[in-house]
Amino acid sequence: YLEGIENIIDIANGDNCGTHANVSLASWQDGNAMSWVYDYSKALFKPLAQAIANLTEEKRVEIFGRDFGSYRHYTEECFEHGDWLAIKNNCLEFRISRYRNATQYTHLLMLYKEFCLVIDKIFLAKPNYLTATQTANKMVELLNKHAQGKAKYQRAERNKQ
């Protein structure tokens, strides 16, 4: 399931940044894709932001490695540098990410990969408000499955030693 993930995710790691994950797909590099994502960012990410905020602090730390805070502020719009999610020219930067252990972080990267694939398949196939809403709903569904330990990459048969 990890095949090809190095083409999607880049990790920024350091004393000042935790373990931010920058995620994108090759198809997002043409310039138009991230413009569409930015233009529809509120429709795409507000429901996800609310779903994350509705998790308990303990659950957010379990999933993301930490909670909202300095340089990872909670927001439902704009999504700029300093927010839990920053929309950049060619990627999404998940600033709430932090490495706690290999399983937690690998599963988190898989969740981000799923978000990218959904954005690409549903929203970017036909960028408009309807597909942005459909994409948002799917990302919330993926987050909820992850939070319940029911995501396909969390299944025991996929995690054998």
Side-chain angles (χ1 to χ4, degrees):
Y1 198 78
L2 288 170
E3 187 174 330
I5 195 163
E6 68 279 0
N7 298 322
I8 297 173
I9 297 177
D10 179 47
I11 308 297
N13 190 13
D15 292 339
N16 296 327
C17 66
T19 334
H20 301 164
N22 298 309
V23 297
S24 68
L25 296 173
S27 61
W28 295 8
Q29 305 308 310
D30 70 6
N32 293 332
M34 292 312 291
S35 293
W36 284 114
V37 170
Y38 187 79
D39 290 346
Y40 286 89
S41 61
K42 191 171 181 180
L44 282 166
F45 299 112
K46 181 178 180 177
L48 182 61
Q50 291 171 333
I52 293 169
N54 286 335
L55 296 170
T56 64
E57 180 181 346
E58 181 180 338
K59 185 55 85 171
R60 283 192 297 273
V61 171
E62 177 186 320
I63 293 170
F64 296 102
R66 61 182 169 182
D67 200 5
F68 300 112
S70 180
Y71 294 102
R72 57 192 183 280
H73 303 114
Y74 176 77
T75 186
E76 295 179 358
E77 52 190 49
C78 296
F79 307 103
E80 297 173 345
H81 187 80
D83 295 331
W84 69 273
L85 170 66
I87 299 172
K88 295 185 163 187
N89 291 336
N90 62 352
C91 70
L92 299 174
E93 180 184 34
F94 288 91
R95 300 177 60 79
I96 194 172
S97 311
R98 185 168 187 93
Y99 179 92
R100 291 287 178 201
N101 63 62
T103 301
Q104 168 265 332
Y105 203 71
T106 301
H107 288 173
L108 180 59
L109 297 180
M110 293 292 91
L111 178 63
Y112 293 160
K113 176 183 174 183
E114 293 288 328
F115 289 166
C116 283
L117 295 174
V118 168
I119 290 167
D120 202 56
K121 278 184 172 178
I122 300 173
F123 175 68
L124 291 173
K126 189 175 181 182
N128 60 51
Y129 185 77
L130 176 62
T131 59
T133 302
Q134 292 168 339
T135 301
N137 292 338
K138 184 63 176 174
M139 287 191 293
V140 169
E141 178 185 318
L142 290 167
L143 173 67
N144 289 336
K145 281 185 180 180
H146 183 102
Q148 296 166 7
K150 295 181 179 179
K152 56 187 167 184
Y153 47 82
Q154 293 172 310
R155 294 181 190 153
E157 67 270 15
R158 292 190 180 265
N159 293 291
K160 292 181 182 175
Q161 295 290 343

